[in-house]
């Protein structure tokens, strides 16, 4: 899916490209590595200095549904214990003593560490582990970015699935509107 916008220098202004779009598969098997590639146009330039020197920044969230589970071979014969009749503590715990937040929010996400990967230049790989939790939706955010002016770049996210299968995986993408006034050169897929 192509993501575009219509502003330059909207530093700190984030746009959503898409939310919770299903991947083209029903399940990513445990111990498998799933690769997502994002390709940018060649018209991005650094327009947010001194805030940062990026030409392109995006947040990519991969989510495994709460249906993630490894089924048991058969149900147990015995019921579970009944709940306790009285609370385990005598009174509620106290309210926190510190005020939050302790620091102001960061203007942009911290870019996930990447390594150059081939073939060619301007291709970056981001290696993450995603550990689906049985009965709970599990997500991993990957922040990708580029600092090279006027060059098409490729960002490969290598998601290693650990422990359980990732069922009904989806992807969400948002981006900082750094340099997006020309939809034919300033876009990403």
């Amino acid at each position: 899916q192509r993501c575009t916008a219509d502003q330059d220098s909207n530093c700190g202004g984030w746009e959503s490209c898409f939310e919770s779009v299903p991947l083209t598969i029903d399940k990513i098997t445990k111990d498998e590595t799933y690769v997502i590639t994002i390709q940018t146009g060649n018209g991005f330039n650094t327009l947010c200095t001194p805030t940062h020197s990026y030409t392109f920044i995006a947040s990519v969230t991969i989510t495994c549904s709460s249906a993630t589970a490894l089924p048991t071979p058969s149900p147990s014969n015995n019921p579970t214990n009944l709940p306790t009749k009285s609370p385990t503590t005598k009174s509620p715990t106290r309210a926190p003593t510190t005020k939050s937040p302790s620091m102001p929010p960061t203007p942009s996400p911290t870019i996930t560490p990447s390594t150059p990967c081939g073939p060619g230049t301007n291709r970056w790989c981001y290696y993450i582990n995603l550990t689906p939790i049985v009965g709970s939706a599990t997500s991993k955010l990957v922040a990708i970015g580029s600092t090279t002016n006027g060059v098409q770049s490729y960002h490969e996210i290598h998601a290693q699935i650990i422990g359980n299968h990732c069922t009904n995986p989806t992807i969400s993408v948002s981006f900082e509107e750094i340099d997006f006034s020309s939809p034919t050169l300033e876009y990403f897929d």
Side-chain angles (χ1 to χ4, degrees), residues 4 10 12 28 34 42 49 51 112 120 150 156 160 167:
T4 62
N10 188 11
I28 306 171
Y34 189 80
N42 62 3
T49 54
T51 306
T112 304
E156 292 182 6
Q160 173 78 37
T167 307

Side-chain angles (χ1 to χ4, degrees), residues 3 13-18 36-40 44 52 54-62 107-113 126 140-147 153 155 157 171-178 180 187-189:
C3 300
W14 284 79
E15 298 288 330
S16 175
C17 184
F18 50 87
I36 297 169
T37 302
I38 294 178
Q39 169 187 326
T40 71
F44 289 117
H52 60 69
Y54 290 100
T55 58
F56 166 76
I57 299 175
S59 291
V60 180
T61 303
I62 304 165
S108 301
T110 302
I111 301 299
T112 304
Y126 306 80
K140 184 76 169 195
L141 182 139
V142 184
I144 63 174
S146 179
T147 57
S153 62
H155 304 267
I157 300 167
I171 185 171
S172 300
V173 177
S174 60
F175 60 94
E176 186 173 6
E177 204 171 14
I178 299 169
F180 276 93
Y187 65 89
F188 63 97
D189 297 319

Side-chain angles (χ1 to χ4, degrees), residues 96-170:
T97 58
T98 59
K99 295 179 181 179
S100 59
S102 58
M103 298 177 64
T106 56
S108 301
T110 302
I111 301 299
T112 304
S114 65
T115 58
C117 55
T121 58
N122 300 311
R123 184 177 296 268
W124 303 97
C125 287
Y126 306 80
Y127 297 94
I128 62 162
N129 291 331
L130 180 56
T131 307
I133 298 170
V134 174
S136 177
T138 308
S139 297
K140 184 76 169 195
L141 182 139
V142 184
I144 63 174
S146 179
T147 57
T148 309
N149 286 313
V151 175
Q152 186 172 38
S153 62
Y154 298 86
H155 304 267
E156 292 182 6
I157 300 167
H158 295 251
Q160 173 78 37
I161 307 304
I162 307 290
N164 297 305
H165 303 310
C166 176
T167 307
N168 302 320
T170 62

Side-chain angles (χ1 to χ4, degrees), residues 76-82:
S76 62
N77 292 329
N78 299 321
T80 59
N81 294 333
L82 295 174

